[in-house]
Amino acid sequence: MKFRLIVLFSFIQIVAFGLHGKPYEWQKDRKRYTLSEKEKAFNEYVLKLHREYSYDWEDNELVLYLTEHRITHVMNAEAIQRHNRIYVSLSDVLEVTELKARSINKEGKVVIFDKSNLKEIKDENTSNAYKIFAIEGVESDSELEYFYTLRMKRKVQETSYFQFEMPAKEETLLLSCPVKLAFEFRVYHDTVRIKSDTLNGRNRYSIKFENVPGLAREKFSYFDTNRKRVEIKLAYNFTTSTVRLNTWVDAAKTYYKTLAKVDAESEKLVDRFSKTLGDDPQWILVKRIKNVEDKIKNSIKILSQSSQSAHRLIPDILKYKQASVEGIASLFVLVYDKLGISYNIVVTCNRETAKFDGSFDSWSYLDDYLLFFPETKGFLSPNENELRYPLVPPKFTATKGLFIEPIKIASVKSAIGSIKEIPGLPYSADTDDLLIAVKFDEDLETTVITQQRVFTGYDAAYLSPYYDLMTSEQKDKFVDELLRPSVPDVKIVKWAASSTMVEQYPRFSVETTFTTNHFIEKAGKKILFKVGELIGPQTEMYRDDNRMTDVENTDNRGYDRVITVEIPHGYKIGNTDALKMNVSYKEGDSIPFLFSSDFSIAESTLKITLKEFYMEIYAPVSRYEDFRKVINASADFNKVTLVLEKL
């Protein structure tokens, strides 16, 4: 079966260019790779990946020539579909100097991409232009090959990944630069070393990965964080100085200056704006912090994707009520400073992509802003409208960050930086609790259920604002969708919802009364009651024996559930032991992960109490089996069916 290889590139002129003599080139008349039976068994297999970074001075500006060369073996239609689109990011690209692509089928027939087939398309969402082309004759058991060279603005730090879901035979990195420049590297999730030498007045650095296994996308783990990768940093420019470049000290001063230093006009506007916020220095500090946050976020629209300079400038932000991520962070900093509320600027990165490494001072880790209040030990996310102090996106917690503390020497304002931990919030910041009461009708075919579901913390923060904006019909649909995953035939009798604040955290409660036949089955004279399904679908990890990565939870969280069942007159429950479970993950004297259930019967009422919590973000892969037992315990309970027998 034949397919067309579709390749996309941002629209930009393609020209020829030579890199210090000969330009990068592929082997013109190469033969297909000879694969072992084991290698042929993979549906997709990276045969070669080569990335080359060549830095040069041009008109006193440092430019980068980046080459990527990839050969992938594809065995079937699904593999071709996964690899028939190739995207090249052209952020900071000045020109494409070379582009070639071809396929080689199992008979050795070569099909070369014809540049005249380029077509222009445009992404309406991003306004980026692309060129698209197709290679005819791609079929199963083919090798797909391409390489390109980009002339780019300089990059003083770079992240390069060398692991994918599919395995790779050979992957190499080569970086060359003028001898007066020095780069440093950090390799993650591998022990390979960087080799370096100097040749013809240029420093060269190289690294080689061989037989890299594919990395599975595992539950309770982030794919990018665990991939083999190389962080690259320009550390010295000896043409101007012997001082190390772009240290954490430099970052602290630079980011503080970006957010906290303004001109006289902006300072007057901030002073005027601050007086409208109703701040009272006599309030407790948390109330003052939250008041400022609420007033700013309720009046300024945050444009998270904006790069317009107007959305970063204080006069325009206060006039048009719109701000970029950087602009809103700056406004918060200036207002808290004006009101005399102590803060630290915190700059960190998304741990779903990479863990902040304080021992390697690459600014590639400096992506996202938080504010930290030393006196309360709480954090605030300036650009997350739904999340309010002390809730911040979990992806920025349980990792490290650069804490920037403002200082003042005489009349000069500056800042000092230090690497510190951003702790995860306690599990009370993310709870999803159930209080359920069950009654049977006279025919023992239908149950009447009253359920109160209470979200506290993160879920409530995202639910409450949108619920308040819903129409009556939308609210009805929302409640129905909340129940239907666990009660497919639900018939709602009545419902009510409410929002409150509990110990700084938002709480959203939905109470419903409904009828359903779903939980009852009859087996002769016995009644089967699927009590476990009342807690809703649960994560299952029964088939996951070849774990590769450590456990990483999104956040700390907890679930308390109480179920009361009125036992029908003339019946007893024959298998109440199925309700007793106690599965815990112990760490010394502490229990960070737990699922437990127990019951009691008083007169004709069965009361089931369940407790489940996850009080730590991480667990090592060596303890994965213990963690999995806790996860599966809730799934096991979900399958519990009580047998009601006549007395």
Side-chain angles (χ1 to χ4, degrees):
M1 183 181 294
K2 295 187 177 181
F3 295 84
R4 292 159 64 93
L5 173 63
I6 307 297
V7 188
L8 290 98
F9 291 90
S10 291
F11 174 57
I12 195 163
Q13 182 183 5
I14 299 177
V15 297
F17 186 82
L19 297 178
H20 297 287
K22 294 183 178 180
Y24 185 87
E25 186 58 271
W26 62 20
Q27 188 178 342
K28 291 185 178 180
D29 300 314
R30 75 169 180 85
K31 302 296 182 183
R32 279 170 53 99
Y33 279 71
T34 300
L35 302 182
S36 66
E37 291 301 316
K38 182 178 179 180
E39 291 169 332
K40 289 179 182 178
F42 296 115
N43 291 333
E44 49 201 318
Y45 188 31
V46 176
L47 302 172
K48 175 178 181 175
L49 172 62
H50 176 70
R51 291 200 184 100
E52 190 167 302
Y53 299 81
S54 180
Y55 287 84
D56 292 278
W57 292 107
E58 295 182 359
D59 298 326
N60 294 321
E61 291 290 333
L62 187 64
V63 296
L64 164 65
Y65 291 87
L66 171 63
T67 297
E68 176 161 318
H69 183 187
R70 187 188 295 243
I71 305 172
T72 306
H73 181 251
V74 290
M75 278 299 296
N76 55 29
E78 291 75 20
I80 293 172
Q81 290 292 343
R82 280 190 289 271
H83 295 279
N84 68 353
R85 291 184 181 272
I86 301 166
Y87 297 87
V88 177
S89 173
L90 290 175
S91 174
D92 298 325
V93 171
L94 302 172
E95 59 182 344
V96 178
T97 67
E98 186 57 284
L99 164 63
K100 291 184 178 182
R102 65 187 173 188
S103 69
I104 307 175
N105 71 7
K106 58 185 175 183
E107 282 80 30
K109 180 182 176 181
V110 180
V111 177
I112 302 291
F113 156 63
D114 184 355
K115 292 180 183 178
S116 65
N117 291 332
L118 280 167
K119 297 180 181 179
E120 181 178 350
I121 63 171
K122 187 175 183 179
D123 187 329
E124 298 298 332
N125 295 323
T126 63
S127 298
N128 290 333
Y130 295 87
K131 283 290 183 176
I132 181 172
F133 65 88
I135 298 178
E136 303 291 344
V138 179
E139 58 189 55
S140 298
D141 194 8
S142 290
E143 293 177 4
L144 307 180
E145 180 175 14
Y146 70 87
F147 86 88
Y148 58 82
T149 299
L150 309 175
R151 179 171 174 265
M152 310 180 68
K153 297 178 182 179
R154 68 174 185 174
K155 290 190 173 186
V156 296
Q157 59 262 331
E158 175 77 344
T159 299
S160 191
Y161 288 100
F162 287 93
Q163 191 171 27
F164 312 94
E165 290 182 80
M166 59 192 152
K169 189 177 185 69
E170 180 180 290
E171 299 174 300
T172 52
L173 180 150
L174 174 64
L175 186 149
S176 65
C177 62
V179 72
K180 291 292 186 177
L181 301 180
F183 282 79
E184 290 187 1
F185 304 79
R186 183 67 59 88
V187 179
Y188 295 87
H189 307 300
D190 206 300
T191 57
V192 296
R193 295 181 177 275
I194 298 288
K195 296 181 180 180
S196 61
D197 60 27
T198 301
L199 181 67
N200 298 328
R202 293 180 65 80
N203 291 328
R204 301 191 308 174
Y205 308 87
S206 63
I207 188 170
K208 183 176 183 180
F209 298 89
E210 294 183 287
N211 301 317
V212 176
L215 182 65
R217 293 184 181 271
E218 299 177 313
K219 294 178 181 178
F220 299 98
S221 176
Y222 295 117
F223 181 71
D224 283 340
T225 300
N226 289 286
R227 296 167 68 188
K228 297 179 188 295
R229 77 178 196 276
V230 180
E231 293 288 343
I232 305 169
K233 171 194 166 95
L234 176 60
Y236 296 95
N237 179 359
F238 293 114
T239 60
T240 57
S241 173
T242 59
V243 176
R244 184 178 179 84
L245 300 173
N246 300 321
T247 64
W248 294 136
V249 172
D250 298 327
K253 293 178 180 178
T254 299
Y255 279 81
Y256 177 74
K257 182 178 180 180
T258 298
L259 298 185
K261 291 193 175 182
V262 292
D263 56 27
E265 178 193 359
S266 296
E267 191 166 2
K268 289 180 180 179
L269 291 173
V270 169
D271 182 55
R272 187 184 308 162
F273 176 72
S274 299
K275 291 176 181 177
T276 69
L277 301 179
D279 175 65
D280 186 343
Q282 301 302 315
W283 288 343
I284 62 171
L285 186 55
V286 166
K287 184 176 180 179
R288 297 183 68 197
I289 292 169
K290 291 177 70 66
N291 173 64
V292 170
E293 181 183 26
D294 289 341
K295 296 289 178 57
I296 290 179
K297 288 184 176 180
N298 291 342
S299 62
I300 307 294
K301 184 178 181 180
I302 301 167
L303 305 174
S304 59
Q305 302 300 318
S306 174
S307 58
Q308 295 184 29
S309 59
H311 296 145
R312 299 195 304 269
L313 302 176
I314 294 300
D316 289 332
I317 292 172
L318 294 178
K319 181 177 181 180
Y320 299 109
K321 308 301 181 183
Q322 294 182 333
S324 64
V325 169
E326 184 179 292
I328 198 71
S330 179
L331 180 60
F332 268 103
V333 163
L334 294 169
V335 169
Y336 282 127
D337 193 51
K338 180 63 65 175
L339 298 177
I341 297 174
S342 298
Y343 65 89
N344 286 181
I345 299 166
V346 181
V347 196
T348 187
C349 63
N350 180 355
R351 64 177 164 91
E352 297 173 9
T353 303
K355 296 291 190 300
F356 191 104
D357 183 358
S359 67
F360 188 66
D361 52 356
S362 171
W363 290 20
S364 63
Y365 293 115
L366 304 178
D367 287 335
D368 298 279
Y369 296 114
L370 298 175
L371 294 181
F372 173 67
F373 300 92
E375 294 179 52
T376 65
K377 308 301 181 185
F379 291 81
L380 179 154
S381 178
N383 63 294
E384 286 283 340
N385 186 62
E386 293 85 2
L387 299 182
R388 306 295 171 96
Y389 176 99
L391 295 177
V392 298
K395 61 187 178 182
F396 302 143
T397 67
T399 188
K400 295 183 184 297
L402 175 64
F403 284 61
I404 303 170
E405 180 184 354
I407 59 172
K408 189 173 183 180
I409 302 175
S411 60
V412 178
K413 292 182 177 180
S414 187
I416 56 175
S418 57
I419 306 300
K420 297 180 183 178
E421 187 74 21
I422 306 170
L425 286 168
Y427 84 88
S428 57
D430 187 8
T431 61
D432 180 355
D433 300 334
L434 285 170
L435 183 62
I436 300 172
V438 181
K439 295 181 180 180
F440 293 84
D441 71 349
E442 291 183 2
D443 297 328
L444 301 182
E445 293 181 349
T446 301
T447 51
V448 179
I449 298 176
T450 298
Q451 172 182 292
Q452 184 181 18
R453 188 168 184 181
V454 181
F455 302 95
T456 302
Y458 283 110
D459 285 338
Y462 287 112
L463 286 172
S464 296
Y466 296 107
Y467 176 83
D468 293 338
L469 298 174
M470 292 178 186
T471 64
S472 296
E473 292 78 9
Q474 289 171 330
K475 289 177 179 179
D476 288 338
K477 184 179 179 182
F478 163 73
V479 174
D480 183 84
E481 291 177 347
L482 197 63
L483 291 168
R484 201 161 289 278
S486 55
V487 195
D489 66 340
V490 64
K491 295 179 181 178
I492 299 175
V493 177
K494 62 179 180 178
W495 64 268
S498 61
S499 299
T500 56
M501 291 292 295
V502 178
E503 296 181 356
Q504 301 182 33
Y505 299 132
R507 175 171 289 183
F508 185 74
S509 175
V510 181
E511 185 170 342
T512 55
T513 298
F514 58 90
T515 62
T516 173
N517 303 323
H518 175 70
F519 300 105
I520 297 176
E521 291 182 6
K522 290 188 176 181
K525 295 182 179 181
K526 296 179 180 179
I527 304 297
L528 305 181
F529 177 51
K530 295 179 285 188
V531 66
E533 293 189 18
L534 286 168
I535 68 171
Q538 302 294 303
T539 300
E540 296 183 0
M541 300 176 71
Y542 296 119
R543 298 180 180 179
D544 193 7
D545 297 322
N546 300 311
R547 183 76 179 191
M548 299 177 67
T549 60
D550 290 340
V551 168
E552 182 170 352
N553 287 289
T554 302
D555 64 338
N556 299 315
R557 61 200 186 282
Y559 311 86
D560 285 340
R561 302 146 175 145
V562 177
I563 303 169
T564 57
V565 181
E566 288 193 13
I567 303 171
H569 180 69
Y571 281 83
K572 67 175 183 178
I573 300 174
N575 61 329
T576 51
D577 285 347
L579 299 172
K580 294 178 69 69
M581 301 175 65
N582 191 345
V583 182
S584 62
Y585 176 121
K586 295 182 179 180
E587 206 169 72
D589 295 330
S590 67
I591 300 178
F593 311 122
L594 170 76
F595 180 90
S596 68
S597 63
D598 206 346
F599 76 96
S600 63
I601 297 178
E603 297 181 351
S604 61
T605 300
L606 168 69
K607 181 179 180 180
I608 308 167
T609 305
L610 301 95
K611 191 167 192 64
E612 181 179 5
F613 58 70
Y614 302 86
M615 298 174 64
E616 289 186 5
I617 302 297
Y618 301 102
V621 68
S622 60
R623 297 289 308 276
Y624 170 67
E625 192 61 33
D626 297 323
F627 177 82
R628 180 168 70 160
K629 288 178 181 178
V630 177
I631 291 291
N632 284 338
S634 62
D636 292 342
F637 185 89
N638 183 240
K639 298 174 178 59
V640 171
T641 296
L642 295 179
V643 180
L644 279 66
E645 303 171 335
K646 282 193 172 183
L647 293 170

